[in-house]
Amino acid sequence: MSLPCVDRYPLGMPCSTTSAQGAMRDRVSHLLIRVGGALGVLGTTSADSGATPDHAFIMQAQTNSGVHVPESQAPSAAIMELRRVSGLTWDQLARLFGITRRSLHFWASGKPLTPAHEERLSRLLATVRRLDRGSAHANRTLLLGVHADGCLPFDLLVAGQYERVLALLGPGHAPARPHPAALAVDARVARAPHAPEDVAGSLPDRVHTEGEKVRVPRVARGRT
Amino acid sequence: MAVPGQEQPHYHRVDTALQAWRQGDCVLGEHWFIHRFNPTVPLTEASAAVSDQGVDLAESAVRGLVVLTQTCDIVRTSLERPFLEVAPIVEVSAQVAHEIDRGRRPVYAIIPALRARGLVADLDRTMTVEKAVVAQWARIAGCRTDAEARRFALALVRKRARVAFPDDFTALVARLQARLLEKHDRQSDEGRALRALWEIRVRAAPSWDAPTVEVTFWFIHEEEAMDFEGRRWDILLDDWLQLMPAAGRFRQVHGTVLALEDLTAKEYVESDPLDLDHLSTRG
């Protein structure tokens, strides 16, 4: 089988042909994507030995019955995570979905996704999480690097071949990110910017005068 | 005249006296602020008052002086760092003090310990003094907590580091700015949502002075704000972007509403806060 290369595959095709589309359409009604539990399953040997990671993800997402408690994630948050982890630009992410960058910005701002796009987002995020090397730069380099067969993992993602990407790149085993303690309220306030209303309307003051006394200074001139 | 050597004990005395001083500390009483002027074109009351006396320096009495120099430089030996930068302390009305608090008057900085007396730093005027001058002042701690010291320092940064946006960009965002500031528009969702944001940042690619520019706005909301009073952010975003249609060099205008934690460090570094002067007061 020939592997997909740059611009060889129509965008968005895999999502529209998956058998899970109906189930995913049901899930979109509450605008949540459940991915954490699916990833927990994907990370175990039992899951790897059975269904494909994609199927395992969907089953887990549908049944919500994994060993690990799944986390709920709004699509906008999932897009942000996909962006942070993958290191891909907004334009590149838009290409993964076959949409414009403007549309992606609106999704990230909370605009609902179609069920097909939501499913695709779930699959992409699950894939990127698995191959995460712990650095956005490393992940982007990995996805955009040309393999020996001349193909880019990025193009495989565009074509919906998530398993192929994972097989090519292997799991990432990224170290867990630290979760530092929250700042105190006053410390956070001290670092906060002024409100947009105020910084977008700064008043250009005139010179401040209070009718103060004035005198001629005693001056010694010199050169340094 | 020879500069005294390190062995001179007065360096040590000055350094010892300065160890307690911090950025934002101040002195009150009769103090004098000096500035140079052109005697043929005096621009201020102070310079006009003495311009006929054959001088090009004027000294004005001020209510006090506040130290602007960073603390690490204050406490370094005066042999290596003999100068301090100070600004005059001026009195403002309660209303102006409130506006300084909010960041609407970047010319001034709140001195927390003097806030109740309406005394603030006038950052438009600064003066260099030798540390031995400050060493003999009766120190008043201007900032009492780390948070206060940070706010004071940020006021100094903002006075010096505000981005000079191109005029055509200022024109591009004029309607958005007006929507932010409209006093009679308190009831519109998009106006109130704009004012409720944590920050608005803007990125220009490839650069602000390029022949064609792609502009991206980051509308940053509080982390837990999934919507604004039940109205979806993307709908508000559409309203906001319609206020800034692509024009001139700005061929593309993008925008996203996101939480601070969703903005990457790269995006933060590559963008600037939308910090503008009030257009209606121009010219």
Side-chain angles (χ1 to χ4, degrees), chain A residues 32-211:
Chain A
L32 292 175
I33 297 175
R34 300 184 180 278
V35 291
L39 290 169
V41 171
L42 292 178
T44 64
T45 53
S46 59
D48 287 342
S49 62
T52 65
D54 284 344
H55 288 161
F57 166 78
I58 294 168
M59 290 167 63
Q60 184 66 21
Q62 289 173 328
T63 61
N64 193 23
S65 59
V67 174
H68 301 275
V69 177
E71 65 183 61
S72 298
Q73 192 173 31
S76 58
I79 290 170
M80 294 301 182
E81 183 183 347
L82 179 64
R83 191 173 57 94
R84 283 198 308 271
V85 177
S86 71
L88 296 173
T89 66
W90 288 93
D91 282 320
Q92 289 164 338
L93 287 173
R95 286 172 57 197
L96 287 179
F97 292 95
I99 58 172
T100 64
R101 178 178 160 185
R102 179 181 172 85
S103 296
L104 188 64
H105 279 308
F106 275 84
W107 284 359
S109 302
K111 185 175 184 178
L113 283 63
T114 65
H117 280 132
E118 191 182 12
E119 178 184 335
R120 188 171 181 81
L121 172 60
S122 300
R123 293 177 186 279
L124 283 166
L125 182 56
T127 304
V128 168
R129 278 178 168 179
R130 283 205 66 191
L131 57 82
D132 182 14
R133 264 47 173 181
S135 140
H137 176 75
N139 294 338
R140 181 175 63 245
T141 303
L142 204 65
L143 291 171
L144 299 176
V146 180
H147 272 253
D149 51 19
C151 291
L152 272 65
F154 177 84
D155 291 328
L156 296 176
L157 287 180
V158 172
Q161 297 189 16
Y162 313 106
E163 264 305 281
R164 179 80 180 134
V165 172
L166 289 171
L168 268 178
L169 304 180
H173 304 299
R177 295 188 68 172
H179 296 283
L183 292 184
V185 172
D186 61 342
R188 189 163 184 267
V189 168
R191 291 169 180 274
H194 291 291
E197 177 184 6
D198 294 318
V199 295
S202 300
L203 300 171
D205 281 290
R206 302 170 70 91
V207 61
H208 188 105
T209 57
E210 296 181 356

Side-chain angles (χ1 to χ4, degrees), chain B residues 250-262:
Chain B
F250 304 104
R251 300 289 173 80
Q252 294 184 66
V253 179
H254 297 288
T256 300
V257 183
L258 73 182
L260 185 61
E261 62 186 358
D262 291 323

Side-chain angles (χ1 to χ4, degrees), chain B residues 30-94:
Chain B
E30 185 177 88
H31 289 271
W32 294 84
F33 184 89
I34 189 169
H35 80 274
R36 167 157 287 143
F37 64 95
N38 180 343
T40 62
V41 191
L43 298 178
T44 64
E45 292 177 16
S47 58
V50 296
S51 61
D52 60 353
Q53 299 185 42
V55 296
D56 60 0
L57 292 169
E59 266 192 313
S60 312
V62 294
R63 295 170 182 273
L65 295 163
V66 57
V67 175
L68 306 184
T69 305
Q70 283 188 295
T71 300
C72 56
D73 287 329
I74 297 174
V75 299
R76 279 180 65 183
T77 174
S78 52
L79 186 69
E80 297 172 354
R81 311 287 289 183
F83 300 118
L84 292 178
E85 187 181 10
V86 298
I89 292 172
V90 298
E91 184 173 8
V92 296
S93 67

Side-chain angles (χ1 to χ4, degrees), chain B residues 258-272:
Chain B
L258 73 182
L260 185 61
E261 62 186 358
D262 291 323
L263 196 69
T264 66
K266 183 171 186 282
E267 289 165 338
Y268 191 88
V269 168
E270 291 183 349
S271 60
D272 300 304

Side-chain angles (χ1 to χ4, degrees), chain B residues 104-116:
Chain B
R104 297 200 69 171
R105 294 181 179 268
V107 162
Y108 301 103
I110 292 290
I111 303 169
L114 305 181
R115 169 70 173 81

